[in-house]
C-alpha cells in the first residue's frame, strides 16, 4: 500500500515558487514565461516555449515587495513596471 502512495507522489512534478521558495506541485503554480521574442507573458497552459518561472497563487507571494526583481532574475530579463503591473492584473483576474 505504501509503495502505491510513493509511486503516485513521485509522478507529481514539483517546482519552487520564486517568491517564497516553497516546493509545490507544478499544477498548483502560475507559470510566467519570457518567450523567444523577449516578451514576458502568463503561461496558462504550462507549455509555452521559453524561460519560465513559477509563482504561487498565494496573496503573500503576489504582494511580495521584491517580486519584480525576483521575477527579473529568474527570467534573466528586465521587466518594466508596465509589464509587471499587467502580469499581476492578469494573475489576479484569473
Amino acid at each position: 500500500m505504501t509503495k502505491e502512495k510513493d509511486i503516485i507522489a513521485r509522478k507529481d512534478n514539483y517546482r519552487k515558487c520564486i517568491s517564497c521558495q516553497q516546493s509545490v506541485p507544478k499544477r498548483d503554480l502560475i507559470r510566467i514565461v519570457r518567450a523567444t521574442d523577449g516578451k514576458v507573458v502568463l503561461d496558462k497552459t504550462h507549455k509555452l516555449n521559453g524561460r519560465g518561472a513559477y509563482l504561487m497563487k498565494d496573496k503573500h507571494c503576489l504582494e511580495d515587495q521584491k517580486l519584480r526583481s525576483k521575477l527579473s532574475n529568474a527570467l534573466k530579463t528586465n521587466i518594466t513596471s508596465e509589464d509587471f503591473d499587467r502580469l499581476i492584473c492578469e494573475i489576479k483576474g484569473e
Side-chain angles (χ1 to χ4, degrees):
M1 184 84 175
T2 57
K3 287 184 180 180
E4 291 176 13
K5 288 182 181 178
D6 289 342
I7 292 171
I8 291 170
R10 282 186 223 145
K11 286 185 181 180
D12 283 340
N13 291 323
Y14 283 79
R15 298 291 184 264
K16 193 180 282 192
C17 173
I18 60 168
S19 180
C20 66
Q21 300 297 310
Q22 184 178 354
S23 291
V24 182
K26 187 168 117 173
R27 66 179 178 271
D28 296 336
L29 295 168
I30 299 166
R31 184 168 187 249
I32 301 170
V33 177
R34 183 193 72 206
T36 54
D37 61 358
K39 292 183 181 178
V40 178
V41 294
L42 185 64
D43 182 7
K44 296 179 182 178
T45 63
H46 286 247
K47 294 182 180 180
L48 288 177
N49 288 334
R51 185 168 188 87
Y54 291 89
L55 184 64
M56 290 178 67
K57 300 172 188 175
D58 186 58
K59 179 182 175 182
H60 298 291
C61 292
L62 294 176
E63 294 178 356
D64 184 2
Q65 295 295 319
K66 296 181 181 179
L67 181 60
R68 182 174 163 201
S69 65
K70 289 177 181 179
L71 194 57
S72 292
N73 289 337
L75 298 177
K76 295 185 179 179
T77 188
N78 187 20
I79 298 175
T80 63
S81 58
E82 294 86 18
D83 286 340
F84 182 73
D85 292 339
R86 178 184 48 81
L87 281 172
I88 296 300
C89 287
E90 282 183 47
I91 291 169
K92 289 183 177 179
E94 281 189 340

